[in-house]
Amino acid sequence: MIRKAILIESSNVKGENDLPGARLDVQNWANFLKSDLGGAWGDAEIRVLRTPYSSDVDAELKLPSDCYCFVAFSGHGRNGSVVLNEHLTSYSIA
């Protein structure tokens, strides 16, 4: 089985306050996933997206049907959605 971790941090979005804790969250997730307790994921299995556009997230989520995908987000949110680099739009998590 293929596995992929997508770690998204949206800490520095135009028009919003910087969230340095979001950058730390993503680093902590990566460290955990690489640990034995976290599943001993390899570097090639973990993709970190830093303040991405929605098109970047969409591209990473195009996965084969036999792929196990773990997604974690830390950053700005609004009305049940996450805020990505397009600061006026939000990416629905529903």
Side-chain angles (χ1 to χ4, degrees):
M1 175 187 297
I2 299 168
R3 62 182 185 172
K4 181 176 187 174
I6 302 171
L7 308 178
I8 305 167
E9 66 94 350
S10 188
S11 62
N12 192 10
V13 176
K14 183 179 176 182
E16 303 284 350
N17 293 330
D18 184 48
L19 299 175
R23 290 185 290 279
L24 183 58
D25 287 345
V26 167
Q27 185 58 53
N28 287 336
W29 271 114
N31 291 341
F32 174 72
L33 291 171
K34 292 176 187 180
S35 74
D36 289 339
L37 182 62
W41 293 61
D43 288 334
E45 296 176 300
I46 301 171
R47 177 79 162 109
V48 177
L49 301 178
R50 301 196 182 279
T51 313
Y53 290 94
S54 57
S55 59
D56 300 323
V57 176
D58 289 342
E60 290 297 326
L61 290 173
K62 289 184 182 180
L63 302 165
S65 61
D66 65 340
C67 182
Y68 171 81
C69 184
F70 173 87
V71 178
F73 173 85
S74 186
H76 292 282
R78 183 180 303 126
N79 300 323
S81 297
V82 298
V83 176
L84 300 176
N85 207 17
E86 303 99 332
H87 72 285
L88 295 177
T89 62
S90 54
Y91 194 85
S92 176
I93 55 174

